[in-house]
Amino acid sequence: VIDSLVVFLASTLRLSTPLILAASGEVVSERAGVLNLSLEGMMLSAAFGAALGAKSSGSPGVGLLCGIGAALLLAVVQAWLSVRVKANQLVVGIGLNILALGATTFLYREVFGGLSREVIPSFAPLEIPGLSRLPFLGPALFRQTPLVYVACALVVATQLLIERTRFGLSLRAVGENPRAADQAGIAVTATRALCVLYTGLCAGLAGAFLSVSSISTFTEGMTNGAGYLAVTAVILGAWRSFSTFLACLLFGAATALQFLLPALGVKLPTALLVMLPYLLALLAVSGLMGRSRPPAALTLPFRRGGH
Amino acid sequence: MTTQAWSAAWQWPRSLLKPSRILPLCALVGALGVGLVLVALSGVPVDKALAAFFDGVAGSGYALVGTVSRAAPLALVGLGFVVADRGKLTNVGAEGQICLGGLASTAACLYWGAAKLPGPLAYVFPVALAALAGGAWGALAGWLKARRGSSEVITTLLLTFIALQMVYGAVQSEALLRQPMTSSSTLPESLEIPAPTTLPLLSSGALPLHAGLLLALGCVALFGWLLRKSRVSLELYSVGENPRASLRAGLAVDRFVIGALAASGALGGLAGALMIQGDQHYLTSGFSSGYGFDGLVVGLLSRGSPFALLGFALLFGALRSGGMAMEMSAGVPSAVVVVCQGLIVVAVAAAAALERRRA
């Protein structure tokens, strides 16, 4: 039982990591008023870019950079269209997801060919000296791949960015009341665009984690809704960085339970476990469980002088 | 002919060339062009792929029927988006409303005695139930918006993921809708619905064009007229523009919000019933396969015009049909069509916004 608990904790952390990485970025841009449904597509492109980079260079580090580049590419399009051109954020996001799914599937078949589950170079687990020797907690938490630790650092960095910096103050203002922010001399468009790019960076890490860290291969549509789950974590986390982190851990645990419960002989429909995150988030936004209010200008484009 | 009539006749073609129509058209053509380049890159001769595409869209009566029956649910979902949009509400949850409609329709056809009802009631009852179920799913988002102040963008999205899992759960469990397990290879899907509950065919010939098309056209005509001419539509518009003023003017704002999302959801539910009782005839996990999101885009692009709505529904239906044909008979990866769809959505949304900015 202890052993399976260790496995459960370790896999919870591993399954939460892509959500933590992606959601940390999404918190920032949603606080600035941009909802990126394209998070899913960004992660998928990053997973593919990282796999491609790692395969052709033989180094997971280069793969990681390629992954971030691929996600940033989509982030630039999302930022330009939804912030500058002021196209409908949700539709642009949905379109980019379809595009990313098609493009990665197409390129995967062209480059990797067929359904080869080719193993690509990936990051080895990094044992934290000392801590990894701890009984129970050591093997569960401190023998993970480097990106897991990066994810935890990113949560702290994001929290500081939003709450403690000048830029954080600007982005919160832009997300709550862009008109007032504009009148106070904050560059609304530039602030929002930067926040979307930050999301792209984080989504890049998240996607790369999937293909060159968690499992060493790329499969078609491998994100399988993780991007939407990260958006949901932001909602359940009430648009705050640390609560979002907790929500991601909860979702990771729910996913890990899907594998643990059958092993323990517990019969629970998997549909219920998969549904749980969305149900909790729904309760949260409806105020039936805590109070979770989105930034006032979320999804609304800003036009100076107009409405 | 008077001068006036002459000048009117002269003006007509010019209005077609207005920048507002050119930009989205260019976007569309551009996206399709990129698709052709990708086809060429994948090594399939472009002419062969194009021939397969058009064969799949309208090469035979059978193909045309396929395209039209894919367009019908897209038109219904798009219409639902437009109805909610009239009150400045964004229903992103059509995919979930389709799921609820499909669930209710399948359950009614198989287990709630619809097959034993006399005559047309056998298929009308499940369709009506599907509309109710989709409507309830929409109304739930409406209620949360009106009473708890939750953004409908977020709640409809979350409700979609819940609904997708409800379908998955329902076809996984024999206590719900899964067909009885006779062997270990019994697939997780429902039984086929009985013949009396399927939508009737419009022609007695070989073409399987079902009555769902009439239902979709009827809804588009009805709601198109209501949206333009009815008092309720105007009131809904005022509620969306300025809820506070509308409340002062004596409008029951909450009811409009809930009602608009319920109507929007009911149209999604109808689309679900069409897909089950008209085309697929049994429920599988993921049977909605993105129709809700495609339909949302159809509704957004139509910008309230019923004719544009039908046109875009046909376009997206054709893309699905042609894409499948290209894959099957010309060996083009269906991913190319997916890329095309994504490009069209992004490009046309961008073009619409650019043109609004110019105006």
Side-chain angles (χ1 to χ4, degrees):
Chain A
V1 178
I2 293 291
D3 272 353
S4 58
L5 210 58
V6 167
V7 172
F8 172 67
L9 264 186
S11 53
T12 294
L13 192 56
R14 187 172 51 81
L15 291 164
S16 321
T17 299
L19 302 178
I20 295 169
L21 288 164
S24 296
E26 183 64 14
V27 165
V28 171
S29 84
E30 288 199 22
R31 284 298 282 271
V34 185
L35 199 159
N36 296 296
L37 282 184
S38 55
L39 198 59
E40 173 85 6
M42 291 183 201
M43 284 173 73
L44 188 59
S45 324
F48 178 76
L52 189 63
K55 177 189 142 97
S56 43
S57 70
S59 141
V62 174
L64 181 64
L65 290 180
C66 293
I68 292 174
L72 278 177
L73 208 64
L74 282 198
V76 167
V77 179
Q78 170 89 51
W80 181 62
L81 289 181
S82 62
V83 179
R84 171 109 195 120
V85 178
K86 303 178 207 317
N88 185 310
Q89 280 169 25
L90 306 163
V91 172
V92 170
I94 291 170
L96 286 178
N97 286 345
I98 302 174
L99 186 61
L101 179 65
T104 52
T105 305
F106 178 73
L107 290 173
Y108 172 71
R109 294 201 185 157
E110 292 294 308
V111 178
F112 291 77
L115 292 167
S116 77
R117 294 223 161 178
E118 193 173 333
V119 173
I120 48 178
S122 58
F123 291 107
L126 183 72
E127 298 200 5
I128 306 270
L131 289 176
S132 67
R133 300 272 175 76
L134 286 176
F136 185 67
L137 284 183
L141 303 182
F142 300 109
R143 290 179 196 170
Q144 304 274 2
T145 49
L147 280 177
V148 175
Y149 310 122
V150 171
C152 298
L154 197 61
V155 173
V156 179
T158 303
Q159 176 79 15
L160 292 177
L161 174 74
I162 296 177
E163 302 294 339
R164 291 290 149 93
T165 64
R166 213 186 154 76
F167 182 72
L169 186 62
S170 309
L171 80 84
R172 280 181 283 150
V174 163
E176 287 296 337
N177 192 338
R179 198 160 308 280
D182 183 51
Q183 276 157 7
I186 298 171
V188 175
T189 305
T191 305
R192 284 187 168 172
L194 272 177
C195 290
V196 175
L197 292 184
Y198 183 79
T199 306
L201 173 74
C202 297
L205 290 170
F209 174 82
L210 290 175
S211 63
V212 297
S213 196
S214 179
I215 45 174
S216 315
T217 188
F218 179 84
T219 52
E220 291 168 14
M222 75 185 298
T223 43
N224 196 18
Y228 292 110
L229 202 54
V231 172
T232 308
V234 175
I235 298 168
L236 181 59
W239 291 268
R240 285 192 302 266
S241 175
F242 190 70
S243 321
T244 301
F245 168 66
L246 295 181
C248 291
L249 283 179
L250 182 69
F251 295 177
T255 316
L257 269 183
Q258 287 166 36
F259 303 107
L260 182 71
L261 287 183
L264 293 177
V266 181
K267 279 208 169 176
L268 192 73
T270 47
L272 277 183
L273 277 174
V274 183
M275 200 189 284
L276 189 70
Y278 306 110
L279 207 57
L280 289 176
L282 189 67
L283 290 177
V285 281
S286 55
L288 300 173
M289 197 186 72
R291 191 80 196 100
S292 163
R293 193 186 60 82
L298 189 62
T299 76
L300 303 178
F302 171 69
R303 263 180 214 87
R304 192 177 273 171
H307 53 260
Chain B
M1 201 179 266
T2 64
T3 3
Q4 246 178 343
W6 265 111
S7 76
W10 187 241
Q11 298 252 307
W12 179 72
R14 272 183 151 180
S15 72
L16 264 187
L17 292 177
K18 272 201 313 200
S20 68
R21 278 164 213 174
I22 284 182
L23 256 165
L25 211 64
C26 289
L28 198 64
V29 173
L32 290 172
V34 173
L36 284 182
V37 171
L38 284 179
V39 169
L41 281 180
S42 74
V44 178
V46 174
D47 55 334
K48 199 179 153 207
L50 273 180
F53 183 87
F54 287 112
D55 255 2
V57 173
S60 62
Y62 199 79
L64 193 61
V65 165
T67 300
V68 171
S69 30
R70 286 189 179 88
L74 290 175
L76 283 171
V77 169
L79 185 63
F81 180 84
V82 172
V83 169
D85 188 55
R86 180 73 178 163
K88 274 214 170 153
L89 297 162
T90 310
N91 176 10
V92 205
E95 189 83 3
Q97 290 140 12
I98 291 179
C99 286
L100 261 282
L103 274 173
S105 148
T106 312
C109 291
L110 284 172
Y111 304 107
W112 297 345
K116 293 191 197 89
L117 291 174
L121 271 181
Y123 56 84
V124 170
F125 168 62
V127 169
L129 220 54
L132 270 180
W137 215 235
L140 183 56
W143 183 81
L144 288 173
K145 165 107 183 170
R147 293 292 150 80
R148 318 285 316 185
S150 321
S151 155
E152 80 286 0
V153 175
I154 288 165
T155 52
T156 51
L157 190 68
L158 293 173
L159 283 168
T160 291
F161 291 113
I162 295 172
L164 284 167
Q165 290 308 315
M166 283 165 70
V167 174
Y168 176 76
V171 296
Q172 286 290 338
S173 159
E174 270 183 90
L176 297 169
L177 293 175
R178 185 175 190 162
Q179 56 184 332
M181 298 255 271
T182 48
S183 73
S184 59
S185 61
T186 305
L187 290 173
E189 53 195 35
S190 78
L191 285 171
E192 193 164 331
I193 57 171
T197 60
T198 59
L199 291 177
L201 298 182
L202 290 182
S203 63
S204 50
L207 292 183
L209 186 62
H210 59 73
L213 174 65
L214 289 186
L215 183 66
L217 286 177
C219 283
V220 172
L222 175 69
F223 278 93
W225 180 77
L226 280 177
L227 283 172
R228 296 216 168 168
K229 302 281 179 195
S230 77
R231 180 198 167 114
V232 180
S233 165
L234 189 65
E235 289 172 341
L236 177 60
Y237 179 74
S238 107
V239 165
E241 282 295 315
N242 194 338
R244 204 169 293 175
S246 305
L247 198 64
R248 291 242 174 97
L251 294 176
V253 172
D254 286 6
R255 270 195 225 165
F256 276 96
V257 170
I258 299 173
L261 281 170
S264 180
L267 287 164
L270 276 182
L274 240 63
M275 290 163 70
I276 292 294
Q277 290 172 262
D279 302 308
Q280 308 186 3
H281 293 177
Y282 55 88
L283 188 74
T284 47
S285 178
F287 80 101
S288 51
S289 66
Y291 274 78
F293 292 112
D294 280 7
L296 184 167
V297 175
V298 166
L300 184 95
L301 298 184
S302 76
R303 288 190 285 157
S305 149
F307 295 104
L309 180 83
L310 292 175
F312 277 111
L314 267 177
L315 173 73
F316 276 73
L319 273 175
R320 278 182 181 247
S321 299
M324 279 179 1
M326 264 203 320
E327 183 175 32
M328 280 192 289
S329 57
V332 176
S334 60
V336 172
V337 182
V338 179
V339 170
C340 261
Q341 275 179 336
L343 277 176
I344 289 178
V345 172
V346 174
V348 180
L354 272 176
E355 155 226 312
R356 203 174 334 123
R357 203 162 56 151
R358 250 198 236 166

